[in-house]
Amino acid sequence: MASNNSTDQTLECVSGFIPTFPVPLRIVEANEKPGAAYARNAGVLAAGGEVIAFCDADDEVVDGWVQAAWDALITGLDVVTGYVHGYASQIAGPDGTEILRESHALRVPVPTCNCAVVREAFLRLGGFDESFNRYGHEDSEFSIRARLAGLRIGFYPPMQLRFSATEDLMTLSRKLFHSGQAEVRMWVRHPEVFPNQNDLKSVTDRFGQWVIKSVRRPLLMKERKHVRQGLTSFGNVVGVLKGKRKGWGNPELIPPANRK
């Protein structure tokens, strides 16, 4: 378990499971940088297995999840994901039926709340981009690099997880706002996939249309989907402005010397 400056009782809780956990369990202090990308990279570097499986702290895997991840990867896949109960954007249904067309493949992320990857392939890509140090899109960006590099990515229905949606309004608002900014960073990293997205006029027009729609139809503000769109769109605007003022810097991947 990688702890990224945890301030709640997570460390104490996990420590209590160490003596009786069915497999070796240890805590990795990943405190040098903020963000899930850095914490996950630190966890992978500390792990010794050939396969790495990721899930988020607030979600619940179903019985047989680890076995399902292993079964999928030993078929020759490099990266695998499965069905996430309660998740809005799915690659396929629980029976494996395709939901999104293949033309969308580069835009559909393998969500880090439910995925597994061959460690060697993960390190070859440099892991997650640690410049994504706030909430959102580090998994989307990794998925794009994996597909562009020709990694074999698959969907395995038995690898299932129950997603826990964020209910607190302030927390959700903050996550969506940061996700909107992170989305711009992803556009900048991959203009070949997202041409003309990092454009101030485009994002301000889109946010302006959302504001006009909200004024004309005020009842829409009671719909969570509409509010989510607005917060993300506003995050896009702020992200583009920040990028123009400060730039986005270079990707922060695991240094080649550490990819062992």
Side-chain angles (χ1 to χ4, degrees), residues 220-240:
L220 284 174
M221 293 302 292
K222 295 184 178 181
E223 297 181 9
R224 176 166 290 209
K225 181 179 179 181
H226 180 72
V227 175
R228 290 175 67 98
Q229 291 173 343
L231 288 167
T232 303
S233 182
F234 181 53
N236 290 160
V237 173
V238 173
V240 172

Side-chain angles (χ1 to χ4, degrees), residues 9-235:
Q9 302 302 309
T10 299
L11 296 180
E12 291 81 355
C13 178
V14 174
S15 296
F17 283 103
I18 290 177
T20 58
F21 207 67
V23 296
L25 174 64
R26 59 192 173 115
I27 297 172
V28 176
E29 295 286 350
N31 300 325
E32 292 184 15
K33 296 181 184 179
Y38 170 71
R40 292 188 182 113
N41 284 349
V44 172
L45 291 175
E50 298 177 10
V51 168
I52 306 295
F54 295 101
C55 65
D56 286 348
D58 56 350
D59 298 324
E60 178 186 3
V61 301
V62 303
D63 291 344
W65 181 77
V66 172
Q67 185 65 52
W70 174 258
D71 290 344
L73 290 176
I74 61 174
T75 66
L77 294 174
D78 296 303
V79 185
V80 65
T81 185
Y83 187 76
V84 182
H85 297 271
Y87 204 58
S89 178
Q90 299 281 355
I91 296 175
D95 60 353
T97 305
E98 186 180 30
I99 293 176
L100 296 175
R101 297 194 306 274
E102 183 61 27
S103 61
H104 293 171
L106 287 173
R107 299 173 185 265
V108 178
V110 174
T112 42
C113 68
N114 185 27
C115 77
V117 58
V118 175
R119 187 175 187 271
E120 182 276 329
F122 180 87
L123 293 177
R124 190 173 0 120
L125 282 181
F128 295 105
D129 183 348
E130 295 170 8
S131 68
F132 287 77
N133 55 16
R134 305 297 286 270
Y135 178 83
H137 289 287
E138 77 286 341
D139 50 1
S140 305
E141 195 279 330
F142 175 83
S143 301
I144 292 172
R145 275 188 289 123
R147 292 185 186 278
L148 292 176
L151 266 61
R152 295 156 294 183
I153 303 173
F155 179 90
Y156 191 56
M159 189 180 172
Q160 298 190 18
L161 174 142
R162 297 183 182 92
F163 177 72
S164 298
T166 302
E167 297 296 338
D168 179 73
L169 184 58
M170 289 301 296
T171 301
L172 179 61
S173 299
R174 184 170 60 252
K175 289 170 73 172
L176 291 170
F177 175 64
H178 289 317
S179 178
Q181 295 181 67
E183 187 174 29
V184 178
R185 186 182 295 272
M186 181 175 63
W187 296 343
V188 173
R189 293 282 187 260
H190 298 285
E192 74 282 12
V193 180
F194 304 100
N196 305 316
Q197 290 287 336
N198 181 32
D199 177 74
L200 184 59
K201 184 178 186 304
S202 296
V203 295
T204 52
D205 284 351
R206 187 160 57 244
F207 181 63
Q209 291 169 6
W210 180 87
V211 172
I212 292 171
K213 191 175 182 180
S214 302
V215 171
R216 289 177 175 174
R217 300 173 59 189
L219 290 178
L220 284 174
M221 293 302 292
K222 295 184 178 181
E223 297 181 9
R224 176 166 290 209
K225 181 179 179 181
H226 180 72
V227 175
R228 290 175 67 98
Q229 291 173 343
L231 288 167
T232 303
S233 182
F234 181 53

